[in-house]
Amino acid sequence: MRSIILSLMLLHVMLLPALGNKKEMLGQASKRNGKVVGVIDGDTYDVLVEGLSIRVRMEGIDAPERGMPHSKAAKQYLAALCFGKQITLVSTGKDHHKRTLAFAYLPDGRELSREMLKAGYAWHYKKYNSDPALSQMEVAARQSRKGLWADSQPVPPWEYRALKRKGRGKRK
């Protein structure tokens, strides 16, 4: 009996790190289905996956920050696309805030990052993503003056955040 218990304990100790927890697994390249239960802003949302709420940062884009022009419109557009819907997440890793980075697909096959770019509510985040198709979508929205591109010189979110860190940005 003692040897069985020791064997089970050893097996548990060996398998536990390999299995990890569900939140950690979503930070690695993986594919999961879930329901969008909250939209934080134009590039971040919460998904319920296997009973856990996961904060997802959209791969490949950067949307206006709260307080920036078009931030409310970007959030509303994203919410209209996905809130309350089932999506398929394809995780690409974790960001420095420990949010899951992912592309997300709607049941009809549309991908959320691409939809935000096409509608003109996000920049292609070239610092972290080099997909030329995403760049082309931004260029097309810019040329059509869609969404935030209706402004003559929209300030990218990364520049806005840098100004805020230096004490020059406005936050409403």
Side-chain angles (χ1 to χ4, degrees), residues 11-140:
L11 184 62
H12 177 73
V13 169
M14 289 173 35
L15 287 178
L16 191 60
L19 294 175
N21 70 41
K22 291 175 187 173
K23 283 192 177 189
E24 288 174 1
M25 288 170 52
L26 281 170
Q28 302 164 6
S30 66
K31 188 174 175 181
R32 301 279 180 163
N33 294 318
K35 181 179 181 178
V36 177
V37 294
V39 175
I40 310 308
D41 58 28
D43 56 29
T44 308
Y45 53 88
D46 292 332
V47 179
L48 194 60
V49 177
E50 297 177 15
L52 292 173
S53 181
I54 307 296
R55 177 84 23 115
V56 177
R57 173 66 164 78
M58 294 170 71
E59 175 67 44
I61 67 168
D62 202 3
E65 297 286 324
R66 185 173 45 165
M68 290 181 69
H70 304 283
S71 64
K72 288 181 184 175
K75 179 181 177 179
Q76 289 169 349
Y77 189 80
L78 180 59
L81 280 172
C82 68
F83 183 74
K85 295 181 182 171
Q86 289 291 324
I87 60 171
T88 299
L89 288 175
V90 178
S91 173
T92 60
K94 294 263 189 183
D95 70 2
H96 62 281
H97 295 293
K98 299 193 185 327
R99 297 175 295 192
T100 296
L101 293 167
F103 288 107
Y105 296 87
L106 295 165
D108 64 9
R110 292 180 295 158
E111 196 281 315
L112 295 178
S113 295
R114 286 166 170 73
E115 294 303 311
M116 293 298 288
L117 284 167
K118 289 190 284 188
Y121 287 120
W123 282 260
H124 176 211
Y125 208 179
K126 295 176 183 114
K127 180 177 179 180
Y128 298 106
N129 181 286
S130 60
D131 184 345
L134 297 181
S135 288
Q136 280 303 108
M137 289 173 194
E138 178 188 311
V139 169

